[in-house]
Each structure stands twice: as C-alpha cells, then as structure tokens.
C-alpha cells in the first residue's frame, strides 16, 4: 500500500490496559486512497517481544469490534501468537503460489489447522498465480489434491497485479 506507518503493534501491546477503539484507530495509519487502516508488525525484535498471544488476541478482539474487516497478514510460521489469531479468525486463507514448496507448506498448515480443530468451513485455499505459466507448473487440481482440499480462489497471473504489488497501488483503485 506504500504506507509509512506511524506506529506498529508494539505500542498497542504496551498499552493493553487502556487500549480501546479510539486508541487503536489513533495508532493505526490510514491509507488515504482506500480508507484502510494499517497497524504493521514491529520491525525490531525487541519491540516484537511485547506482542505475545494475549496482547494480539486483545488487539484483534478490539479491532473486530471497531472495524468491518480485520486482516492479519503473516508468514506461515505457527507459534502461540498465530494460534491465538487462528482461534479468533472467521476465515483463514492459505495463500500459495502453486510451487511444490508452497503446496507442501500449505498442506502441512492445513493438517495442523485440522489438528487444532479449526473447522474446514473456516479455511479457504487461495492459489496466487504471481508467475507467468511455465512448463511443469502444478495445475489447480493437482494442488488441491496435494493440499487435501479444493482451491477456493485463484488469482490469475496479471502483470498489472505484479506492478501494483511493487508500486503499492492496489489495482482496484487504479480504475
């Protein structure tokens, strides 16, 4: 989104005793063209240590009451913090590019979500085709078979999507 945030999740985690919708809105940075509000992860490991599972659960709970949608974009690393997010999530989207390493990771994550009893109806598989088609590319059906669940959404390869990612300008706002 090409947003330079004023704050990260760390100050919100440090202010849990007084955190409310107004403070959360104040800590987040507004993306002017879309109206989205962004509160990114801390860049510094020392600040990141303030954001534990209890803090993130409280922040997400307040955000859910304050905003129509809450999106938590994360690496595919599962720890206590992510388990708290999974527990609060209405939907968990497993996004992958359809490469063998991505598909293996998505299959393992899907199996783990099953083990922690995240219902299948709360998960969605997204195939993000950020690469032009190439020989040997895994097809949608093969990806679904390997992950053990149908692909719910496929984002087709488009150069304008790659440009949007690199420029921080969402395609939907480009008209």
């Amino acid at each position: 989104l090409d947003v330079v945030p004023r704050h990260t999740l760390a100050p919100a985690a440090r202010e849990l005793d007084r955190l409310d919708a107004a403070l959360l809105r104040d800590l987040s940075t507004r993306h002017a063209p879309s109206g989205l509000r962004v509160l990114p992860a801390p860049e510094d490991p020392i600040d990141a240590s303030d954001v534990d599972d209890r803090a993130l659960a409280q922040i997400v709970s307040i955000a859910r009451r304050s905003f129509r949608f809450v999106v938590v974009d994360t690496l595919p690393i599962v720890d206590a913090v992510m388990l708290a997010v999974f527990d609060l999530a209405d939907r968990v989207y497993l996004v992958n590019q359809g490469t063998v390493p991505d598909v293996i990771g998505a299959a393992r994550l899907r199996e783990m979500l099953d083990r922690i009893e995240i219902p299948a109806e709360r998960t969605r598989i997204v195939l993000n085709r950020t690469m032009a088609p190439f020989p040997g590319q895994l097809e949608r059906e093969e990806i679904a078979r390997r992950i053990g669940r149908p692909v719910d959404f496929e984002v087709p390869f488009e150069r304008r999507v790659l440009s949007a990612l690199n420029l921080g300008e969402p395609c939907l706002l480009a008209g």
Side-chain angles (χ1 to χ4, degrees), residues 2 159-169:
D2 199 25
R159 291 186 195 282
R160 71 185 187 104
V161 172
L162 289 177
S163 294
L165 286 169
N166 290 332
L167 297 173
E169 298 172 1

Side-chain angles (χ1 to χ4, degrees), residues 12-68:
R14 288 192 289 268
E15 298 292 338
L16 282 183
D17 58 329
R18 67 181 202 95
L19 189 65
D20 60 8
L23 180 56
L24 189 60
R25 185 173 293 278
D26 186 52
L27 290 171
S28 64
T29 302
R30 185 174 184 277
H31 178 254
S34 68
L36 295 173
R37 301 203 71 84
V38 178
L39 190 61
E43 293 179 13
D44 180 309
I46 294 169
D47 280 344
S49 67
D50 292 330
V51 184
D52 61 12
D53 55 331
R54 184 179 77 73
L56 193 57
Q58 187 170 335
I59 293 165
V60 169
S61 293
I62 292 168
R64 286 180 59 154
R65 291 190 304 269
S66 307
F67 301 102
R68 187 169 173 203

